Amino acid sequence: YDDEEEFVYSEEEEEAYSDMQSPSMPSSDKLTQAQKQADSVAYNDDDDFDYLDADDDADDEQPTSAIQQSNKPWEVDFKAHDLSDLQGRQEEIVNDLEPLLAVSRGSTALLLRSYEWKTESLVEDYLGDSNKVLTKTGVHAHPPVPSIETGDEDFTCEICYCSGSDELYMGLVCGHRFCTSCYETYVTIKIQEGESWLIPCPAPKCKTLMGEEPTRLILAENKDMLDKYECNLARSFVKSSASLAWCPAPSCEYAIECVVPRSAMDTTIPIVNCKCGKSFCFGCKVDNHVPSPCDLVKKWLKKCEDDSETAHWIKANTKEYNNHEQSAKFVLNLLEATEKNMEQLQREMTLAWIDVVFLKNAVEVLTDCRAALKWTYVLAYYMVSDNQKVLFENNQSDLEMATEQLNELVEDPSSLTGIGDIKRKVLDMTHYVKARLDTLLTDTYQGLQEGRWKYED
């Protein structure tokens, strides 16, 4: 599935996002507004998604995880959804639209999938000419409840030509009948091809669509394929939404919801954290790259992939970037060493795990700092040499020195005397390093918002 698709946001959504970011709005109001917006997404033709009235959804039992609300200036609100959450979200939209369209629930779902969940476009077209929409999409307003029947003397499967009263078959509202064995094979192929959200009748030139009910009936004894079918339905739903994206981690099945318009990508770096532990940019799907904006990251990665002299020059003249990149790769080794140090301190000083966990917390802070420092050099690489760059590099240098000092303490805490001395110095330095990181990221974010950073062409 292509996650690079461009989406367009309406003026109302742009204004809503600006209000969420406005420093003049009380933080409680911002979080309330963000919660309402993130919890009430629907989709329309002009904007690719819009917001429903939050009050309409207030009593819905939506099985979604709690929103991760931002508390730092550079952070964005996001929410991780599992398959159950996504199914619940689809059910909500179908249930809201079914009375308006006055068709069956299954037909409502098929129409929404045919319109890629763009509700406004569907409603406008359907109220204008319902027969035209139904004919165009291959959907019937009130199809009969699907069932598996026993063959009769007139039954012949139009695929394998089996016939007789011993055969089991299923037919759709179009009148075409096929044996259950051929139907299951046909549906399985469609699911494996990844197109299972809109499966047409197997008959040549028939446009009638199989809904969810007949598909689930055919796959009732094939749980693995049924699970894949449900997953494909969720994937089509996520693909149709500007505010949803799959976590790029291998084998991860979570989708992340984040409401950040494309127009804000130059001034916002929408970093989200999946429940699987993956931290990535919602905008470009690259691993966490704060404080560099997406466009600079793409330019940098393209240069680094280039096998020309330019790429060699970059690597030779930005060794700090490479140093922090390598240091980040050694974090796992440092974490293992730290855990050994923690165990040693526990044994030698008869301490509980909680008494030495501050060392592990320090490693987590080091991890964040290494990742951020690596990308500060990308930002500095493209900056115009002016006073603003000097100030940025001062913050960068302060964080780098503090990070190295904390790294030394964590690597060899035994050089300090007594657990009290170790804990005090590590905690103090951890707090200081976090403060330096916050200072750098806050200033960089404000610089992006204010347009302070000027870049070389």
Side-chain angles (χ1 to χ4, degrees):
Y1 298 93
D2 182 13
D3 290 323
E4 297 296 327
E5 194 171 345
E6 289 290 333
F7 293 92
V8 179
Y9 293 77
S10 66
E11 292 181 1
E12 290 80 2
E13 290 165 343
E14 298 282 4
E15 291 173 1
Y17 178 76
S18 298
D19 290 342
M20 289 166 61
Q21 300 297 314
S22 172
S24 62
M25 180 183 291
S27 58
S28 59
D29 293 344
K30 288 196 290 183
L31 295 181
T32 300
Q33 181 172 344
Q35 177 78 54
K36 288 181 178 179
Q37 291 178 330
D39 281 344
S40 53
V41 179
Y43 306 93
N44 62 51
D45 193 44
D46 296 327
D47 306 319
D48 284 271
F49 78 96
D50 198 359
Y51 301 107
L52 296 171
D53 187 344
D55 292 335
D56 293 340
D57 292 334
D59 297 328
D60 289 341
E61 295 183 3
Q62 173 67 4
T64 56
S65 53
I67 191 169
Q68 177 69 46
Q69 295 175 333
S70 59
N71 53 20
K72 301 287 181 65
W74 63 88
E75 294 177 340
V76 296
D77 295 342
F78 64 89
K79 183 187 297 183
H81 296 278
D82 59 16
L83 181 60
S84 176
D85 296 339
L86 296 171
Q87 290 170 336
R89 181 65 61 85
Q90 294 171 80
E91 290 285 343
E92 280 189 359
I93 300 174
V94 171
N95 292 339
D96 286 343
L97 202 58
E98 181 183 352
L100 179 61
L101 299 182
V103 298
S104 71
R105 187 210 163 279
S107 296
T108 302
L110 277 177
L111 287 170
L112 281 164
R113 296 189 191 284
S114 297
Y115 272 74
E116 296 184 336
W117 298 91
K118 298 176 176 64
T119 57
E120 288 188 4
S121 180
L122 170 57
V123 170
E124 181 180 353
D125 289 353
Y126 193 85
L127 295 182
D129 191 337
S130 59
N131 289 330
K132 180 179 178 181
V133 170
L134 292 172
T135 301
K136 177 183 176 181
T137 59
V139 176
H140 292 256
H142 297 281
V145 177
S147 61
I148 294 177
E149 307 288 344
T150 302
D152 52 48
E153 59 183 16
D154 295 328
F155 170 71
T156 299
C157 176
E158 298 178 39
I159 295 178
C160 69
Y161 299 105
C162 65
S163 60
S165 59
D166 294 334
E167 298 296 334
L168 297 177
Y169 74 89
M170 187 181 73
L172 298 180
V173 67
C174 57
H176 296 117
R177 302 185 298 174
F178 303 91
C179 71
T180 54
S181 177
C182 287
Y183 241 129
E184 182 174 354
T185 300
Y186 171 73
V187 169
T188 297
I189 291 173
K190 288 296 183 181
I191 293 172
Q192 291 173 337
E193 290 174 348
E195 300 177 356
S196 53
W197 58 91
L198 292 176
I199 302 178
C201 169
K205 298 182 180 180
C206 182
K207 294 183 178 180
T208 297
L209 292 178
M210 287 184 67
E212 296 172 24
E213 290 182 348
T215 304
R216 290 177 178 134
L217 181 61
I218 284 293
L219 296 175
E221 303 299 323
N222 191 341
K223 185 178 184 304
D224 289 344
M225 198 54 58
L226 184 57
D227 288 345
K228 191 167 185 178
Y229 171 70
E230 301 291 355
C231 184
N232 282 357
L233 293 183
R235 286 193 173 277
S236 71
F237 178 68
V238 171
K239 184 175 183 288
S240 300
S241 170
S243 63
L244 289 169
W246 290 105
C247 172
S251 302
C252 181
E253 297 182 355
Y254 284 102
I256 307 298
E257 181 179 7
C258 182
V259 184
V260 178
R262 290 281 177 183
S263 60
M265 290 300 178
D266 291 338
T267 57
T268 302
I269 306 167
I271 301 302
V272 296
N273 301 303
C274 183
K275 286 185 177 180
C276 72
K278 180 74 170 180
S279 179
F280 67 97
C281 175
F282 188 85
C284 63
K285 310 304 181 290
V286 173
D287 287 354
N288 187 341
H289 57 74
V290 290
S292 290
C294 295
D295 57 341
L296 295 186
V297 170
K298 290 179 180 179
K299 289 171 66 175
W300 174 263
L301 293 178
K302 186 176 185 303
K303 281 182 176 291
C304 290
E305 289 173 359
D306 189 359
D307 198 25
S308 67
E309 288 300 318
T310 302
H312 294 307
W313 185 93
I314 290 173
K315 292 179 180 179
N317 289 273
T318 56
K319 65 180 182 180
E320 293 88 353
Y321 171 88
N322 294 320
N323 288 342
H324 287 293
E325 184 175 45
Q326 293 301 318
S327 296
K329 293 178 181 178
F330 293 139
V331 165
L332 288 178
N333 294 334
L334 179 58
L335 183 58
E336 291 177 3
T338 299
E339 289 179 347
K340 290 180 180 179
N341 288 334
M342 292 166 67
E343 292 171 359
Q344 181 179 351
L345 287 172
Q346 282 182 275
R347 289 194 304 270
E348 294 178 354
M349 301 182 182
T350 318
L351 301 171
W353 179 260
I354 192 67
D355 294 323
V356 294
V357 75
F358 64 90
L359 288 171
K360 185 173 182 290
N361 295 337
V363 174
E364 293 174 354
V365 171
L366 284 172
T367 302
D368 293 340
C369 289
R370 295 289 187 195
L373 281 167
K374 180 179 76 170
W375 291 108
T376 62
Y377 286 98
V378 173
L379 190 56
Y381 175 80
Y382 287 104
M383 276 185 180
V384 171
S385 295
D386 57 12
N387 290 336
Q388 293 300 328
K389 182 176 182 179
V390 172
L391 294 174
F392 173 80
E393 289 180 332
N394 286 339
N395 284 332
Q396 180 190 54
S397 178
D398 288 345
L399 175 60
E400 191 159 38
M401 287 190 294
T403 299
E404 297 304 334
Q405 291 171 1
L406 178 59
N407 198 96
E408 291 177 6
L409 286 176
V410 172
E411 281 187 334
D412 188 18
S414 61
S415 61
L416 302 175
T417 57
I419 187 61
D421 188 35
I422 295 172
K423 190 170 185 178
R424 178 178 57 79
K425 290 188 176 180
V426 172
L427 285 175
D428 285 350
M429 183 54 67
T430 301
H431 178 76
Y432 177 72
V433 170
K434 287 178 67 176
R436 296 312 311 167
L437 177 62
D438 284 357
T439 296
L440 184 143
L441 295 182
T442 299
D443 183 64
T444 305
Y445 168 79
Q446 291 174 346
L448 290 172
Q449 296 290 310
E450 298 164 4
R452 273 194 278 130
W453 314 124
K454 307 301 179 185
Y455 308 120
E456 302 281 0
D457 293 332

